[in-house]
Amino acid sequence: MNNDSRRARPVILGQNQYGKAENRVVKITRDGDTHHIKDLNVSVALSGDLDDVHYSGSNANCLPTDTTKNTCFAFAKEYGIESAEQYGIHLARHFVDSQPSIHRARIRIEEYAWERIAASDGNSQFIGADEVKHSFVRKGQETRVAQITYDGTEFEVLSGLKDLTVMNSTNSEFWGYIKDKYTTLKEDYDRILATSLSTWWRHNWTSDEQRMPNWEKSYEQAKKHILQAFVETYSLSLQQTLYQMGTRVLNNRGEIDEIRFSAPNKHHFRQDLSFCGLDNEAKDGAVYYAADRPYGLIEATILREGTEARIPVDMTNL
């Protein structure tokens, strides 16, 4: 085949989507003197009958990305933000049902948590109030995430978290692995196990015909079971720990069918102190150096038997 025949082959449009990314939506709800914060980072992606805008530049079927941004803020005011999932469901339904040219909407949300700052005993002397209920400090444990997809018929609701860093300072071993001429890692029977979890889980709620989960409770309970399994698993591998965490969530949360973890190792290596005549054994309280790169990256999907894995494998990894 010569160059001319290759150039003559038709070129067609593949998958495409568009929208406004990272809309920083902060909603303050006032319950008398008590205030509540919902702090979201919202990204909208729309797809549908959009061939002409690519082929000829016709915008007849194109809802401006600026309009999607305005809708995010207007919906926060008009409907409030009960939860990231509920808010995303409202948005996704609106974009698909109100625009004939839009056939699928994906709303991806990060939520940043805040907690109240307690006032001092002298508070009433300096502002004349019994209790401060409008001051907050940003929580730093993890970022909550949600993704809602709607195609006009069914929803898919994914919830999760990222950057949840956890550590067990004992009850972890790693030994019995393959060894070849390139292996230098020594077997360890008392090691630190630390990781920064990124996790998505998929709910089996797909339409208004089903009873909708309590999204806030579901998230808190899923996180609780992940952490409890991390604490209670005597770990011979991080893979084993991930499986136990996923199993605990699925066994306790009937609204969840699938969960996927990405767990980069936060390696802690015992420092060799033999140069100054010191033993550095874990049983005596060791000194470690924390290595940030390179790191082992462990990933796994755990799902109910008979269900289909639908969380993309690249949603949590590099």
Side-chain angles (χ1 to χ4, degrees):
M1 182 182 294
N2 58 38
N3 289 336
D4 289 340
S5 61
R6 281 198 298 269
R7 283 195 294 269
R9 295 177 67 180
V11 176
I12 62 173
L13 178 67
Q15 192 279 338
N16 61 90
Q17 60 191 36
Y18 79 105
K20 189 72 82 174
E22 301 204 44
N23 301 285
R24 292 290 283 106
V25 180
V26 179
K27 175 68 168 68
I28 305 296
T29 301
R30 296 193 173 196
D31 181 11
D33 291 334
T34 301
H35 296 185
H36 306 274
I37 297 177
K38 281 292 187 180
D39 185 352
L40 307 182
N41 189 21
V42 185
S43 294
V44 177
L46 307 178
S47 55
D49 183 12
L50 298 166
D51 287 3
D52 286 348
V53 69
H54 292 86
Y55 289 139
S56 66
S58 169
N59 292 315
N61 287 342
C62 184
L63 183 72
T65 64
D66 190 68
T67 303
T68 68
K69 174 203 72 177
N70 292 342
T71 306
C72 290
F73 288 98
F75 269 46
K77 179 62 177 177
E78 187 173 359
Y79 301 108
I81 303 175
E82 177 184 318
S83 66
E85 289 85 355
Q86 183 66 64
Y87 172 73
I89 288 168
H90 281 313
L91 284 172
R93 180 188 287 117
H94 166 78
F95 288 127
V96 173
D97 289 352
S98 68
Q99 302 298 325
S101 61
I102 303 302
H103 303 159
R104 183 176 184 272
R106 188 197 71 195
I107 312 298
R108 186 172 289 176
I109 301 172
E110 296 179 345
E111 179 175 347
Y112 312 119
W114 296 79
E115 62 185 358
R116 299 187 188 284
I117 302 173
S120 68
D121 293 338
N123 161 55
S124 60
Q125 298 176 12
F126 104 96
I127 66 168
D130 294 332
E131 186 179 354
V132 173
K133 298 179 180 178
H134 58 258
S135 298
F136 301 84
V137 60
R138 174 88 167 260
K139 284 185 178 179
Q141 267 198 356
E142 87 273 9
T143 299
R144 179 175 172 177
V145 292
Q147 177 176 290
I148 298 86
T149 305
Y150 178 58
D151 62 4
T153 302
E154 287 191 341
F155 289 92
E156 180 183 78
V157 180
L158 305 181
S159 302
L161 54 85
K162 65 179 183 178
D163 302 327
L164 181 64
T165 302
V166 292
M167 174 190 287
N168 280 331
S169 56
T170 189
N171 284 2
S172 176
E173 305 177 14
F174 189 61
W175 51 272
Y177 42 80
I178 295 171
K179 302 177 184 67
D180 64 14
K181 66 179 182 179
Y182 302 110
T183 302
T184 59
L185 184 69
K186 292 182 173 56
E187 293 187 338
D188 199 339
Y189 297 86
D190 190 354
R191 68 169 183 167
I192 286 177
L193 179 66
T195 184
S196 182
L197 291 171
S198 292
T199 306
W200 287 95
W201 53 86
R202 179 172 56 82
H203 298 271
N204 48 41
W205 181 88
T206 59
S207 75
D208 292 324
E209 296 178 358
Q210 300 169 264
R211 181 178 177 181
M212 186 177 290
N214 181 324
W215 303 112
E216 298 291 273
K217 180 179 179 181
S218 179
Y219 176 83
E220 292 301 329
Q221 290 292 308
K223 177 185 171 184
K224 180 191 77 172
H225 291 300
I226 289 169
L227 292 177
Q228 287 180 346
F230 182 79
V231 170
E232 296 169 10
T233 300
Y234 191 104
S235 180
L236 300 177
S237 67
L238 184 51
Q239 287 92 330
Q240 176 196 16
T241 301
L242 292 190
Y243 181 75
Q244 291 300 320
M245 290 192 292
T247 298
R248 183 78 67 96
V249 170
L250 295 180
N251 283 344
N252 287 277
R253 302 307 305 173
E255 75 275 16
I256 298 172
D257 275 355
E258 175 188 5
I259 185 168
R260 181 166 178 81
F261 294 95
S262 179
N265 265 316
K266 296 290 185 181
H267 291 299
H268 291 73
F269 298 107
R270 282 202 301 275
Q271 182 66 44
D272 182 3
L273 299 177
S274 60
F275 70 92
C276 58
L278 293 175
D279 292 330
N280 193 28
E281 297 298 322
K283 62 183 177 60
D284 300 320
V287 174
Y288 300 81
Y289 71 89
D292 63 345
R293 289 178 178 84
Y295 52 84
L297 182 59
I298 314 302
E299 299 177 294
T301 296
I302 299 94
L303 63 162
R304 297 189 189 280
E305 187 174 4
T307 61
E308 178 186 358
R310 297 179 61 181
I311 300 174
V313 297
D314 61 352
M315 280 195 72
T316 52
N317 67 8
L318 294 176

